[in-house]
Amino acid sequence: MSAIVIAVIAAVASVAAAVVAGLFAMATRRFEARLKRIDQVAEPKRDMYVPLVDMLERMFTSDGTPTADELAHKRRFDTWITVYGSNGAVRAYSRFMQALPAQPPGDIQFRLYADFLLEVRKEMGDPTGNVDRLQILGPRLANLSDRRSLTDPDLEKVCDRAGWTPPWRT
């Protein structure tokens, strides 16, 4: 009788091991499929973000105007960010683009640009990172008149302090 019990225990253990192995195999396949989907989305995002960030960087560091190719990419970007962009990136980009025609003070432009770069970084880099606006803008800070415009978490207060009414407020 003890041989039968041992055989039953071995059989149950074998079945349990097979079930566990099957569950792990299914989980691995789902994880691999998810990674494949992430990669399929990440490449178009990179293709979308890189030229725009390059253009904006050049606008902030030189007097050069955007080329015709850059402007065409920006028009495509304006459409596709709503599809590929995270909620934070869409909000940051929208505010940045709404603000520019209203000629915000330089500090506000830097703030909105930094907010957008932080959102792009979350999407394309490390979503859990703790880099702040001051670190993102680094060497460009020489032209900043009030560092609080980058450190104050409340954008509305920053706008009030600068004496500028953002277009999304009106």
Side-chain angles (χ1 to χ4, degrees):
M1 180 148 145
S2 81
I4 294 174
V5 170
I6 290 173
V8 168
I9 290 173
V12 169
S14 293
V15 169
V19 168
V20 168
L23 290 173
F24 275 111
M26 281 186 354
T28 300
R29 282 192 298 274
R30 276 195 309 261
F31 181 71
E32 287 171 350
R34 190 170 140 229
L35 282 178
K36 186 176 178 181
R37 280 192 308 273
I38 289 170
D39 284 344
Q40 288 171 342
V41 170
E43 188 156 342
K45 278 187 178 187
R46 262 190 304 281
D47 293 345
M48 182 179 72
Y49 279 116
V50 169
L52 184 79
V53 171
D54 285 345
M55 179 188 76
L56 293 173
E57 179 67 20
R58 202 166 49 76
M59 287 172 54
F60 273 99
T61 58
S62 75
D63 290 333
T65 57
T67 66
D69 286 343
E70 288 172 330
L71 291 174
H73 179 81
K74 186 200 170 298
R75 283 190 296 277
R76 281 192 312 276
F77 182 87
D78 289 350
T79 299
W80 286 102
I81 189 170
T82 60
V83 174
Y84 286 114
S86 68
N87 294 340
V90 170
R91 270 191 292 277
Y93 184 71
S94 175
R95 283 192 167 180
F96 186 42
M97 289 299 117
Q98 286 178 59
L100 291 180
Q103 300 177 334
D107 288 4
I108 303 292
Q109 288 182 35
F110 277 120
R111 163 64 180 257
L112 295 171
Y113 178 52
D115 287 346
F116 176 62
L117 289 178
L118 284 172
E119 292 300 328
V120 170
R121 180 178 159 77
K122 286 178 189 174
E123 274 196 62
M124 303 306 300
D126 181 6
T128 62
N130 61 359
V131 173
D132 63 23
R133 291 178 201 92
L134 289 171
Q135 294 161 332
I136 286 282
L137 293 181
R140 295 172 214 80
L141 298 180
N143 297 331
L144 199 64
S145 64
D146 184 358
R147 290 176 96 79
R148 292 177 304 168
S149 63
L150 295 179
T151 58
D152 191 333
D154 187 346
L155 177 59
E156 298 302 318
K157 284 183 185 175
V158 172
C159 292
D160 289 343
R161 228 181 0 258
W164 182 73
T165 302
W168 55 86
R169 196 189 288 172
T170 57

